[in-house]
Amino acid sequence: ISSEEELDDKEKVVLDAIKNGAKTLNQVMKITGLPKATAYRKIKSLIRKGLVKIEIEDKKRILKVKEEGKKEN
């Protein structure tokens, strides 16, 4: 999947939060107002769909939006 059109409303909200600087599950929850379990499921779904990735920075897991057209190793 490369199209954001196939996302549900909550996935779109979570993706927008990450695009706007949310880097952790707690930040996504704060910005979106979603419960922890829902936010977690939507992040996992976005990762499976190839729109979000997790990177490790300073031993912390950081959420990032994958750049379109860029190959990930």
Side-chain angles (χ1 to χ4, degrees):
I1 268 187
S2 61
S3 172
E4 292 179 28
E5 294 170 14
E6 298 179 40
L7 302 178
D8 69 29
D9 290 342
K10 289 180 182 169
E11 287 170 333
K12 288 177 184 175
V13 167
V14 169
L15 185 60
D16 284 344
I18 296 168
K19 283 181 178 178
N20 289 315
K23 295 181 194 261
T24 64
L25 175 59
N26 283 338
Q27 289 174 351
V28 169
M29 289 166 44
K30 186 181 270 188
I31 290 170
T32 63
L34 292 172
K36 186 174 189 173
T38 303
Y40 181 81
R41 279 196 317 272
K42 298 306 174 183
I43 290 167
K44 285 294 199 190
S45 178
L46 291 169
I47 291 169
R48 270 195 315 276
K49 292 178 180 182
L51 296 170
V52 171
K53 62 183 176 178
I54 294 177
E55 291 186 355
I56 306 296
E57 288 182 10
D58 299 324
K59 299 181 183 177
K60 294 180 184 172
R61 292 162 51 122
I62 303 297
L63 298 168
K64 296 203 172 177
V65 175
K66 283 191 179 180
E67 296 173 29
E68 284 196 41
K70 191 176 179 183
K71 289 274 184 196
E72 295 291 334
N73 294 340

